[in-house]
Amino acid sequence: ALNYNGGHTEHSLFCIPIKNNDNGCKCQINPNSEHAKLIQESIAITWNKMLMAQKDNIEAVDILLHELYNCNLLFGRKIFVGVGDFHQVAPIISNARKTATILESIKSSSI
């Protein structure tokens, strides 16, 4: 992604990994920042290997886009393409068994 003009990885674009605190998971991006403007000016967002991300990160990106676009629809109604294969790669959770891994994946998300 970094080889393309204007390209970013999901980690650099959304500041992943996202820390979970008392207020839940939230992207640490100020809605008035240049970083937020970069997200807003993009035509679409493609997240390669999204299915191997932990659900908290995906949900935090959804919340950020709700805030940036002042819209409660999924991903703030931004064109959002999540790419991945459920049969190929699951989130990596240290010392977790199958059930714990599934509980941390997008399959267990409210999205």
Side-chain angles (χ1 to χ4, degrees):
L2 298 177
N3 291 332
Y4 295 101
N5 187 21
H8 294 273
T9 66
E10 63 275 2
H11 293 82
S12 67
L13 186 62
F14 298 115
C15 301
I16 295 173
I18 296 165
K19 303 285 188 223
N20 194 350
N21 57 30
D22 295 337
N23 299 326
C25 272
K26 189 169 182 183
C27 291
Q28 301 301 310
I29 297 173
N30 182 329
N32 299 318
S33 68
E34 289 297 319
H35 200 93
K37 287 179 189 173
L38 174 71
I39 294 169
Q40 289 173 311
E41 291 171 357
S42 65
I43 295 169
I45 296 172
T46 302
W47 186 337
N48 191 24
K49 306 284 190 221
M50 183 175 124
L51 299 179
M52 63 184 290
Q54 293 180 9
K55 72 176 181 179
D56 290 344
N57 289 330
I58 299 167
E59 290 170 354
V61 168
D62 179 49
I63 291 167
L64 172 68
L65 294 175
H66 286 199
E67 292 173 1
L68 292 180
Y69 293 100
N70 196 25
C71 178
N72 286 327
L73 296 174
L74 190 61
F75 295 110
R77 201 172 182 188
K78 180 75 169 179
I79 297 171
F80 192 96
V81 180
V83 181
D85 182 354
F86 282 109
H87 298 285
Q88 194 174 52
V89 181
I92 298 171
I93 313 297
S94 298
N95 301 317
R97 295 183 184 254
K98 182 178 178 180
T99 302
T101 300
I102 291 171
L103 290 173
E104 286 297 319
S105 76
I106 193 171
K107 290 184 96 171
S108 297
S109 174
S110 60
I111 292 180

